[in-house]
Amino acid sequence: MTDHPDTAPLVDAVRQLRGAVAASSLPLPVEQVAAERTNRVELLNQLDDYVLPRLTSIDAPLLCVVGGSTGAGKSTLVNSLVGDVVSRSGVLRPTTRASVLIHNPDDTRWFADQRVLPGLARLTGAPTQQDDPGQLRLVASRNIPPGLALLDAPDIDSVVEANRDLARQLLAAADLWLFVTTATRYADAVPWGLLQQATERGTSVAVVLNRVPVDAMEEVRADLAGMLMQQGLGQSPVFAVLESRLSEQGLLPAGEVERMRSWLSSLAADSRARSIVIRRTLDGALDSLTGRASALAGAVTAQEMAAQALAQAAHEPYVRARGEIEEGISDGSLLRGEVLARWQEFVGTGEWFRQLDEGVSRVRDKIASVLRGRGRAAPVEDLGEALHTGVAALIASHGESAAMGAARNWRSLPGGTELLADDRSLAQVSPQFDERVQRLVREWQGDVLEMVRSEAGGRRTTARLLAFGINGIGVMLMLVVFSATGGMLAGAEIGVAGGSAIVAQRVLEAVFGDQAVRSLAAKARELLLRRVDEVLADERARYDQALGRVELDPGAAEQLDRAISQLKAVR
């Protein structure tokens, strides 16, 4: 690491980066998200477990993590280096539950608190069957020189996932990785993948070739040396341990580990040599931070884009539904079928076409005569109910289509299927949707009748209104609202439905005047669409709420970029 007379700016920059990494999240299953989630966890762990502790305690003892594959003899090697049984070993796998950290009693203060590996609970005393990977067992031994600590890590290829994850975490917290393998397993893919990662991150590595038959020693060492050279680890120390009979305590012959013990002891005793190892590893870790954090920032940006795509995909069907409802309200389609039949009962459409040319007053008189003769309440109510049914069906149909369309869109996008699985109700309209639609239409019809009353109160139209009735005028205004031209029908329009609206418009013009009819129809249409917007917005909001439950900070990528820039600036 480059020497800094004042490391405070660097520490602050790393802490800022740590906060940005912690604030990021990758909840949506976009492409390659599993690898990026692993990268985030490993990055956060290394910042907490190694980079920050080492930056703030550069003189703390060198931490040597002993790691390797299942059955490589790590615990036996650790016990043999210490000269005592301090880590449980055996033929049953996995054997390492809690990780074991052996240190000199004079160095207890460096490890008893949460300075390193803060996520692991501290234990002391003899191992038990209740130990688990979330614990760190501390063992003080005078056989370990001051300035050095050995950490016996779980198997990197353990059948227990928690053990594998912890092994990787501990290796990232090491100043020095003592990689233990055997003559039969030194070419396994898993450890070499981790060795490559160690090389990329600048971790200091030493290799122990364990259980080597005497007659295979030269060949195996030469082959391993070639592989290390290709991996960029040609300068790493290599220690070979012959296949040997263990002592009654389960320890290797002292001669087989003496060279290794001496090398570790010299590192502990020589502050300059120890500093070189520590600083090389710390420098490599710091160098790796910007690239790994940049990759994480890109992954966070991909999450934000995926969330935006999901939001847009949910909104589009509702925007389309709103447009189709507006078109259905205005294109005259609601003036057919049941509505037309009820209108014919109300005034008799064919007769009124013949009467249109006789003048508005005669049309008005004829309608009033018919209404008096038939009794107007039932036909008006029937027509109003038919209009209610038609409008409600129009809105409900497009609302249901929007819900299905939004769900269909989500299934085609990353993360959408998972969100739908979390809330299956999103694939259809909300349970209260139909009731809300019915209430919407009833309340709108009330709005229209109130508009008619208000308009009548400001004009000298009482007699005419009495002739037709408030409800009768109201339903005729609704007919005009549902015509294609919104209160500006022309005689050139043809068709029975259009003719029905023409008759209604002429009558309304006789009561209120043509300009007032235009204004009333436009206002009534606006009120209806406003209520439609409210209902559709609430339906669409269910998707926004589902996305809102996804823990995404919209500023996380920007925060990471700022932290990366700051770290580059101080380095």
Side-chain angles (χ1 to χ4, degrees):
M1 183 182 70
T2 303
D3 290 327
H4 292 276
D6 180 9
T7 61
L10 179 58
V11 172
D12 288 344
V14 173
R15 284 176 175 158
Q16 181 180 336
L17 179 63
R18 193 268 176 206
V21 173
S24 65
S25 60
L26 306 171
L28 296 174
V30 300
E31 187 177 359
Q32 295 185 338
V33 71
E36 292 302 335
R37 286 171 179 167
T38 299
N39 173 46
R40 177 186 175 276
V41 171
E42 291 181 349
L43 182 56
L44 195 59
N45 284 340
Q46 190 172 37
L47 287 166
D48 286 342
D49 297 342
Y50 180 70
V51 178
L52 282 169
R54 181 51 76 187
L55 272 176
T56 55
S57 304
I58 198 69
D59 296 326
L62 183 147
L63 180 60
C64 176
V65 175
V66 182
S69 302
T70 301
K74 301 183 301 298
S75 297
T76 298
L77 179 66
V78 169
N79 291 336
S80 300
L81 287 169
V82 176
D84 193 7
V85 178
V86 292
S87 184
R88 183 158 53 94
S89 61
V91 295
L92 297 178
R93 306 296 173 196
T95 57
T96 304
R97 299 292 198 274
S99 301
V100 180
L101 191 151
I102 308 99
H103 60 85
N104 187 280
D106 296 339
D107 291 333
T108 299
R109 65 187 179 92
W110 293 110
F111 304 106
D113 61 14
Q114 302 297 305
R115 185 188 68 86
V116 295
L117 301 169
L120 301 182
R122 268 49 174 176
L123 297 175
T124 57
T128 70
Q129 293 296 328
Q130 284 70 46
D131 290 359
D132 65 59
Q135 299 170 325
L136 181 65
R137 182 168 296 283
L138 302 179
V139 178
S141 173
R142 290 289 178 189
N143 294 337
I144 292 290
L148 172 71
L150 296 179
L151 198 162
D152 185 9
D155 300 331
I156 60 176
D157 56 355
S158 172
V159 296
V160 179
E161 183 179 3
N163 281 353
R164 296 197 305 272
D165 293 341
L166 180 59
R168 293 172 181 270
Q169 180 181 348
L170 297 181
L171 292 174
D175 293 306
L176 171 66
W177 179 16
L178 197 61
F179 167 49
V180 183
T181 186
T182 66
T184 57
R185 302 197 59 184
Y186 68 89
D188 287 358
V190 172
W192 283 97
L194 288 176
L195 282 169
Q196 181 180 7
Q197 189 178 85
T199 302
E200 293 170 351
R201 298 181 184 178
T203 304
S204 298
V205 176
V207 180
V208 179
L209 187 60
N210 198 17
R211 298 175 183 166
V212 184
V214 175
D215 57 356
M217 176 65 76
E218 185 175 343
E219 179 184 352
V220 171
R221 285 200 62 161
D223 192 30
L224 177 61
M227 295 178 68
L228 290 171
M229 187 71 70
Q230 293 177 0
Q231 193 71 39
L233 294 170
Q235 300 302 314
S236 296
V238 178
F239 302 96
V241 178
L242 287 172
E243 192 170 30
S244 308
R245 181 185 297 276
L246 301 181
S247 70
E248 291 184 1
Q249 289 182 293
L251 306 181
L252 291 164
E256 291 299 320
V257 295
E258 182 57 34
R259 178 168 167 261
M260 198 184 320
R261 182 189 292 117
S262 297
W263 179 71
L264 290 171
S265 296
S266 67
L267 282 178
D270 186 342
S271 60
R272 184 176 181 277
R274 185 171 70 249
S275 178
I276 289 173
V277 172
I278 290 173
R279 288 179 177 272
R280 180 169 60 235
T281 299
L282 179 56
D283 215 17
L286 288 168
D287 288 341
S288 75
L289 293 181
T290 55
R292 295 157 68 192
S294 294
L296 178 59
V300 170
T301 298
Q303 291 280 312
E304 294 172 359
M305 294 175 63
Q308 291 169 4
L310 286 167
Q312 182 67 21
H315 282 211
E316 285 176 352
Y318 284 95
V319 172
R320 185 166 57 251
R322 201 276 190 188
E324 291 170 346
I325 290 171
E326 182 175 5
E327 181 180 354
I329 287 172
S330 303
D331 65 5
S333 60
L334 287 173
L335 305 183
R336 298 178 175 86
E338 185 68 16
V339 172
L340 180 59
R342 300 290 78 78
W343 169 254
Q344 290 172 335
E345 289 180 2
F346 184 43
V347 295
T349 301
E351 182 178 354
W352 298 122
F353 277 137
R354 292 192 300 273
Q355 296 292 334
L356 281 175
D357 293 334
E358 297 180 13
V360 171
S361 62
R362 296 183 65 179
V363 171
R364 182 193 64 216
D365 295 341
K366 187 63 177 176
I367 291 177
S369 173
V370 170
L371 290 177
R372 285 193 297 271
R374 295 185 179 183
R376 61 190 176 212
V380 168
E381 291 177 358
D382 290 345
L383 179 55
E385 186 61 32
L387 286 168
H388 176 115
T389 301
V391 177
L394 174 71
I395 298 170
S397 173
H398 288 295
E400 291 167 359
S401 295
M404 290 187 291
R408 184 168 56 251
N409 288 349
W410 272 21
R411 290 190 185 97
S412 68
L413 293 173
T417 299
E418 289 75 13
L419 289 171
L420 290 171
D422 291 340
D423 186 352
R424 298 184 182 278
S425 68
L426 291 174
Q428 55 194 3
V429 294
S430 63
Q432 65 274 18
F433 177 69
D434 289 339
E435 180 183 345
R436 287 199 64 185
V437 170
Q438 295 295 326
R439 185 168 64 251
L440 176 161
V441 179
R442 285 196 302 272
E443 290 176 350
W444 175 73
Q445 288 182 319
D447 292 340
V448 172
L449 294 179
E450 186 58 36
M451 287 170 54
V452 171
R453 292 190 187 95
S454 178
E455 186 70 18
R459 294 174 177 270
R460 294 181 178 178
T461 54
T462 305
R464 295 174 183 177
L465 280 170
L466 290 175
F468 299 115
I470 292 292
N471 289 351
I473 292 295
V475 294
M476 281 190 278
L477 179 57
M478 294 174 202
L479 287 172
V480 174
V481 169
F482 299 140
S483 65
T485 53
M488 294 178 287
L489 288 166
E493 290 193 67
I494 60 174
V496 177
S500 301
I502 293 172
V503 172
Q505 181 174 331
R506 293 291 177 84
V507 172
L508 292 176
E509 288 173 353
V511 175
F512 297 117
D514 58 350
Q515 185 58 43
V517 172
R518 292 188 180 94
S519 177
L520 287 169
K523 184 177 180 182
R525 180 182 292 105
E526 180 184 349
L527 287 173
L528 177 56
L529 290 174
R530 189 181 302 167
R531 290 185 179 276
V532 168
D533 286 341
E534 291 173 358
V535 171
L536 291 183
D538 287 345
E539 289 292 298
R540 187 185 64 229
R542 298 179 303 141
Y543 295 86
D544 295 334
Q545 291 164 3
L547 273 173
R549 291 190 289 270
V550 175
E551 296 181 0
L552 270 180
D553 181 351
E558 184 179 348
Q559 185 180 356
L560 278 166
D561 289 337
R562 286 197 304 267
I564 292 167
S565 297
Q566 181 63 23
L567 181 59
K568 288 179 178 179
V570 299
R571 293 211 71 220

